[in-house]
Amino acid sequence: MSAILPEEDQDELPTGFTLVGHVAHLNLREGYLRYRSLIATVLIDKNPAVKTVINKIDDVGTASEYRTFNFEVLAGEPNLNVETKEQDCLFRFDYSKVYWNSRLSTEHERLVAKFREGEAVCDAMAGVGPFAVPAGKRSIFVWANDLNPDSYKSLEDAIKRNHVTHFVRPFNEDARTFISHAVDNLLQMTTAGEVIVQLPQETRRSPSGQVPAGKVQKMFRIPRTFGHFVMNLPASALTFLEAFIGVYCGGEGLFEPHTNVKLPMVHAYCFSTKSEDNAEEKIKICAEISDRIQHTITPDTPETEIWDVRDVAPQKRMFCASFRLPAEVAFRNT
């Protein structure tokens, strides 16, 4: 870029972009907008994988409640039907109609690694499935929901395309109602009969590799309760926490001390300010969680973690607030 832009405009050269399939997504500062066509042409010329260059012209969520954004095509074909891979899973979607952020791939992988094989997870704001589909690949049962009809269609496609239909179930409703609906659906399904998922047989060979050691068949019993809830809507996820009040009312017998099953973990994404140690931010986030669930949660509460995900603006940071759902909240009679 330094070779093509005037010297007086080289203080903060635009060098980074997000690649989603064949689309390069820019977020140009105002001072560089007059060079946007030139910058886009150079990007396509120097990056063979890039066929289309777009520039975001408003904040995510401004265009609609589905976290989409308005953009302008700077170069290439106006084709935003993309194909991208993450955690060995293939996703296809119209980037103009759904939310996707390639910079969150490490965070997706971090959270999925917390789920255990055979657990049940409720992903209330699943998008096209960056948590749900890789989890399904790891033999984790996921009730995956998104309000956006286009995200729901792409989620359905990803479930089939990545062969996780045994484990991932797609839904298309509001997250506030979905949380309780999913809890009831899972319990009713498993109460009606012993639900077992049986995977296709795999041929295993002896250690020498010469003599077949026979067929191995993996079987999983679907749990009666969720081990985790994921709420990936950082602009407003904390406002949905009221949905957990009384969510397991009358179901005390499903959990400790009556069984060996713990109450679920909740992982809610949110935005806050920035500081060196995030101490102030952790206190503020826990205070809002406490207000929403009407029960005190602090950064020192056991099994509570306020994870620093990434910076999203000079004074804005994304966090993942994880905490064990308190019994006083889950069993409250409302």
Side-chain angles (χ1 to χ4, degrees):
M1 291 298 173
S2 59
I4 62 172
L5 295 182
E7 187 174 344
E8 63 269 20
D9 289 326
Q10 294 192 16
D11 289 341
E12 296 182 11
L13 288 174
T15 56
F17 62 91
T18 300
L19 187 64
V20 183
H22 65 275
V23 176
H25 173 192
L26 298 173
N27 188 14
L28 293 174
R29 291 188 173 94
E30 187 174 350
Y32 291 97
L33 290 178
R34 55 182 168 166
Y35 305 119
R36 56 185 179 268
S37 296
L38 178 60
I39 292 169
T41 300
V42 171
L43 270 181
I44 287 183
D45 183 57
K46 299 298 183 180
N47 298 275
V50 176
K51 307 299 180 186
T52 304
V53 181
I54 64 172
N55 182 49
K56 184 173 70 173
I57 57 177
D58 61 18
D59 292 332
V60 171
T62 303
S64 82
E65 62 181 327
Y66 299 144
R67 292 188 287 177
T68 56
F69 56 89
N70 288 318
F71 62 90
E72 56 182 343
V73 176
L74 302 183
E77 298 181 2
N79 173 24
L80 269 70
N81 289 298
V82 302
E83 182 177 290
T84 189
K85 289 194 76 173
E86 187 172 294
Q87 295 188 68
D88 200 31
C89 296
L90 183 66
F91 298 91
R92 289 182 179 175
F93 50 84
D94 185 337
Y95 189 38
S96 69
K97 295 181 178 180
V98 307
Y99 177 79
W100 177 273
N101 191 336
S102 300
R103 293 177 178 177
L104 292 175
S105 59
T106 301
E107 176 60 17
H108 297 153
E109 190 169 357
R110 180 192 75 88
L111 194 62
V112 170
K114 291 181 176 293
F115 310 151
R116 299 193 310 272
E117 186 179 69
E119 272 193 312
V121 173
C122 178
D123 190 353
M125 300 120 170
V128 302
F131 291 111
V133 175
K137 281 246 184 178
R138 299 186 183 200
S139 302
I140 296 156
F141 297 100
V142 187
W143 267 240
N145 172 74
D146 202 86
L147 181 64
N148 183 349
D150 291 295
S151 293
Y152 171 71
K153 291 176 186 175
S154 296
L155 173 61
E156 283 188 309
D157 176 78
I159 291 169
K160 295 173 185 174
R161 189 176 302 280
N162 293 283
H163 311 293
V164 292
T165 52
H166 289 296
F167 291 97
V168 185
R169 298 168 184 241
F171 300 85
N172 178 214
E173 62 179 279
D174 185 273
R176 294 183 194 278
T177 57
F178 175 70
I179 290 170
S180 59
H181 288 172
V183 167
D184 292 342
N185 176 261
L186 177 60
L187 186 57
Q188 289 170 9
M189 184 183 72
T190 52
T191 302
E194 197 166 297
V195 182
I196 295 176
V197 169
Q198 190 169 288
L199 295 183
Q201 290 184 338
E202 296 178 357
T203 300
R204 298 286 178 87
R205 300 188 68 82
S206 63
S208 67
Q210 296 178 353
V211 181
K215 302 273 189 178
V216 176
Q217 195 157 41
K218 297 194 78 171
M219 302 177 71
F220 297 91
R221 181 177 291 108
I222 302 177
R224 300 182 70 190
T225 61
F226 290 110
H228 300 264
F229 286 86
V230 181
M231 306 176 72
N232 183 25
L233 191 65
S236 60
L238 298 187
T239 68
F240 288 76
L241 292 177
E242 291 96 332
F244 290 102
I245 298 175
V247 71
Y248 279 111
C249 180
E252 290 85 346
L254 297 168
F255 300 98
E256 293 179 339
H258 309 286
T259 69
N260 62 352
V261 177
K262 290 185 176 183
L263 279 158
M265 292 292 295
V266 177
H267 310 280
Y269 288 87
C270 60
F271 294 128
S272 190
T273 52
K274 292 172 57 174
S275 65
E276 286 296 321
D277 58 3
N278 293 326
E280 182 182 345
E281 286 72 21
K282 291 177 181 181
I283 292 171
K284 288 193 296 186
I285 291 168
C286 286
E288 182 169 358
I289 293 171
S290 301
D291 182 61
R292 297 291 179 181
I293 65 174
Q294 300 169 29
H295 181 86
T296 300
I297 296 284
T298 74
D300 297 322
T301 299
E303 298 184 279
T304 297
E305 178 183 42
I306 311 299
W307 179 261
D308 180 352
V309 177
R310 61 183 291 263
D311 290 353
V312 295
Q315 298 300 321
K316 188 176 183 181
R317 186 168 282 167
M318 180 178 174
F319 294 89
C320 177
S322 298
F323 62 95
R324 179 78 61 185
L325 185 63
E328 296 85 349
V329 176
F331 303 140
R332 189 176 302 161
N333 189 344
T334 57

